[in-house]
Amino acid sequence: MRSVRFLAGLIITSLALVGCTAEEEPFDSEVGLQLFMWPWDSVANECEFIGSSGVDWVLVSPAQEHIEGGAWWTNYQPVSYQIQSRLGNREQFQNMVSTCAEFGVDVIVDVVINHMSASYSGVGVGGTSYNKYEYPGLYTQEDFHDCQLTFDNSIQSYADQAQVQTCELLGLSDLNTSLPSVQEKILGLLNDLLSLGAKGFRIDAAKHISPDDLKPIVAALPEGTVVLLEVIRGPGEPIQPEQYLELGSVWEFDYVKNMKAFFVDQVIGYVDSEARFISHAPSEKAISFVSNHDTERNGQAINFGQSRYFELATAMMLAEDYGTPMLYSSYAFVDYDGAPRETDGLVDAIDCSSVSAPKEFYEEREWICQHRWATTLKMIDFRNRVHGAPVAEIYQSETVYGFAREGKGYFITNVSLDAAADVDVVTTLSDGTYEDLFSGEAFEIKDGKLTASIDPSSAIVLLAKN
Ligand code: AAO
């Protein structure tokens, strides 16, 4: 099911920027999927499955030519705006986008436009010779910020807005995005990706680019371009996601932290939905997610190794009505830097076709294929079927959180590691026998109530029959 809900704020932005009408709504997709470090050919092969599972858009890793090296994060150090990376070339990118479009899946591409590389000299994976402040045919020294606010020009404090937006993130040469000539080059990249069929962008490190610098870039994009911004919510910081909402939608990092606190630490810090989302960006401008490639590495989120929690949290995200949910599909790693398996500098093809459930243990570099888990597929269907029904009858006890989607569905989970929980809860469902989407077991609803024992680390999910 397609919905008009996704990024309503973006629509308003687009209306303001380009004067389109509500009928020409730019992006109506509901469920997204980050395919972290997936090569273009593998995304193309997976798109039929992805489209049929009800996922509307995929977020792919940066496509720009990048520095050489074994770590996954070399993709975040561009050296030119050629579409040539360890994930594939320009032709493969275009083929991916058109194949996905055939199956109703839009491609959103991660773009690295805040900075270039941190290495003093080298040759990129597409053959471009560069040094930290010189990129032939693209940028020279004067296109970069020279913040002079810290001893090494690197960001030292997130409490200082000028540092964050003009000094170097992790020592990466920081583009002076206030210059119209730099904005033009960035627009060149974005328009090129759009010409290959991309639907929109994740703006990497958006926090490090002033909204004033981004505004003219976003305003110059064609009508309907999707803009999603990475602005990590940091407590007490001067730069917050809210400052970027007129440009597009933001990933809500507090959602991720709450999911981890709930499932991993068994801390339920909310009673009703208002309290639950109080610190969050408004739902219509937010992307909810369980993890991304940064948070699963920095301990802020549930990660692939906690696959049961990951499965339950993904289910809860799809069951509730906050934000636009983005699924995450990735590979197992032992050390922070570890990249997927590669041959001759290209990430090897991925085959998820045999995956249907989480495993307890994964080998290093094994693809997890979270988006193939049967419960996740059922929950996408659940989400589509309960669409428009408000959250009601929120129930909470020490380790249990449950809620109805008024008259259409019911979700309840017990996060205890070892104790079953007895519940007697109002579901808003009509009386009868229902099959739990999680276990396949039958549950009786009597007088609108579910009276059951919920196993530790599990959920009961019921869907109205009509
Ligand atoms: C690599 C090496 C570095 C080396 C560098 C240059 O690892 O050691 O210095 O090369 O040679 C990725 C990798 C990096 C990699 C980089 C370049 O993650 O390891 O560096 O490529 O190849 C900030 C930014 C945010 C950024 C995040 C990593 O604001 O934009 O750092 N994410 C994106 C990408 C990311 C990518 C880049 C940007 C760069 O998603 O994959 O880097 O293109 C606070 C702030 C956040 C800040 C973090 C940084 O967060 O609020 O804005 O993110 O600190 O630590 C609590 C707080 C929260 C705090 C958080 C910290 O939750 O509430 O406020 O803790 O964990």
Side-chain angles (χ1 to χ4, degrees):
M1 183 178 103
R2 293 249 158 176
S3 145
V4 295
R5 204 165 139 261
F6 186 77
L7 312 183
L10 174 74
I11 298 165
I12 294 163
T13 306
S14 303
L15 293 178
L17 294 174
V18 297
C20 70
T21 65
E23 286 75 47
E24 298 167 282
E25 175 199 315
F27 197 58
D28 64 357
S29 300
E30 176 99 0
V31 178
L33 163 64
Q34 179 179 2
L35 290 173
F36 175 57
M37 290 303 280
W38 275 57
W40 312 149
D41 286 352
S42 297
V43 177
N45 287 336
E46 192 69 359
C47 254
E48 181 169 6
F49 178 85
I50 290 170
S52 68
S53 69
V55 167
D56 305 292
W57 52 279
V58 290
L59 168 65
V60 297
S61 291
Q64 298 147 260
E65 183 191 0
H66 53 84
I67 60 166
E68 288 190 308
W72 63 268
W73 43 254
T74 59
N75 282 61
Y76 287 90
Q77 296 198 38
V79 300
S80 83
Y81 287 170
Q82 282 185 69
I83 309 307
Q84 173 78 55
S85 73
R86 68 189 338 163
L87 302 174
N89 61 26
R90 188 177 177 86
E91 207 186 341
Q92 290 167 312
F93 184 91
Q94 188 163 27
N95 172 58
M96 162 183 73
V97 175
S98 59
T99 307
C100 289
E102 274 174 43
F103 299 109
V105 178
D106 291 329
V107 173
I108 307 292
V109 55
D110 199 349
V111 287
V112 185
I113 58 173
N114 169 66
H115 53 262
M116 297 298 280
S117 77
S119 59
Y120 278 89
S121 67
V123 178
V125 295
T128 300
S129 295
Y130 67 90
N131 73 50
K132 186 172 172 184
Y133 301 104
E134 298 284 340
Y135 299 86
L138 189 59
Y139 297 123
T140 59
Q141 183 105 28
E142 64 249 28
D143 294 317
F144 293 92
H145 280 132
D146 177 16
C147 78
Q148 301 197 0
L149 295 172
T150 61
F151 70 98
D152 62 353
N153 267 0
S154 268
I155 299 165
Q156 302 298 330
S157 166
Y158 276 88
D160 180 338
Q161 171 156 5
Q163 274 192 41
V164 175
Q165 292 179 336
T166 62
C167 293
E168 296 181 350
L169 167 63
L170 299 162
L172 300 154
S173 52
D174 195 66
L175 285 164
N176 183 347
T177 43
S178 68
L179 296 174
S181 56
V182 169
Q183 293 174 1
E184 216 167 281
K185 300 266 173 56
I186 290 172
L187 257 174
L189 167 68
L190 303 187
N191 280 322
D192 186 34
L193 289 163
L194 292 174
S195 79
L196 297 176
K199 180 77 179 175
F201 309 106
R202 167 190 186 265
I203 311 286
D204 179 67
K207 179 191 275 184
H208 304 272
I209 310 175
S210 155
D212 290 340
D213 297 353
L214 279 174
K215 230 173 268 177
I217 299 174
V218 171
L221 291 171
E223 184 183 320
T225 305
V226 175
V227 176
L228 311 177
L229 304 124
E230 188 224 10
V231 186
I232 299 173
R233 189 182 295 287
E237 290 184 20
I239 308 167
Q240 293 294 342
E242 281 65 26
Q243 291 154 17
Y244 290 78
L245 295 184
E246 68 170 299
L247 299 166
S249 288
V250 293
W251 276 269
E252 181 48 75
F253 284 78
D254 271 0
Y255 188 89
V256 170
K257 287 184 195 166
N258 282 345
M259 279 296 192
K260 185 190 173 201
F262 183 27
F263 285 98
V264 181
D265 309 323
Q266 283 94 49
V267 174
I268 308 182
Y270 26 79
V271 184
D272 53 42
S273 44
E274 242 171 72
R276 179 153 154 58
F277 303 121
I278 208 153
S279 69
H280 294 24
S283 179
E284 66 279 6
K285 304 227 69 175
I287 298 166
S288 50
F289 61 120
V290 171
S291 190
N292 74 6
H293 61 286
D294 288 336
T295 59
E296 81 163 347
R297 285 176 170 74
N298 66 16
Q300 277 172 36
I302 302 169
N303 71 29
F304 72 86
Q306 300 161 315
S307 53
R308 181 62 174 170
Y309 299 144
F310 203 104
E311 183 184 29
L312 289 168
T314 300
M316 180 156 143
M317 170 176 78
L318 289 164
E320 62 189 354
D321 66 350
Y322 175 75
T324 293
M326 185 187 77
L327 311 174
Y328 179 62
S329 203
S330 62
Y331 59 89
F333 57 86
V334 172
D335 70 299
Y336 178 90
D337 290 350
R341 267 188 208 92
E342 299 190 334
T343 307
D344 299 332
L346 291 173
V347 173
D348 291 352
I350 303 166
D351 179 5
C352 284
S353 57
S354 62
V355 175
S356 62
K359 298 200 299 189
E360 235 166 278
F361 300 106
Y362 291 94
E363 301 288 327
E364 187 175 8
R365 296 172 201 264
E366 183 175 350
W367 290 94
I368 319 283
C369 305
Q370 290 95 323
H371 67 287
R372 286 259 185 175
W373 294 349
T375 53
T376 300
L377 300 175
K378 286 181 190 165
M379 290 309 298
I380 296 173
D381 184 49
F382 178 95
R383 180 178 183 80
N384 289 336
R385 287 172 191 257
V386 304
H387 180 74
V391 168
E393 299 294 347
I394 293 170
Y395 172 86
Q396 184 191 328
S397 72
E398 217 176 306
T399 62
V400 176
Y401 190 71
F403 54 88
R405 296 299 299 267
E406 188 83 56
K408 293 196 171 172
Y410 191 78
F411 174 92
I412 190 161
T413 183
N414 174 17
V415 300
S416 168
L417 287 179
D418 43 25
D422 292 330
V423 295
D424 181 30
V425 285
V426 176
T427 63
T428 75
L429 295 176
S430 24
D431 289 359
T433 308
Y434 292 78
E435 185 186 309
D436 170 21
L437 298 189
F438 251 69
S439 63
E441 277 172 43
F443 284 93
E444 213 51 49
I445 300 292
K446 208 168 157 235
D447 301 329
K449 282 180 140 190
L450 170 71
T451 307
S453 171
I454 316 174
D455 290 340
S457 287
S458 72
I460 297 176
V461 189
L462 310 176
L463 195 52
K465 287 165 193 150
N466 44 33

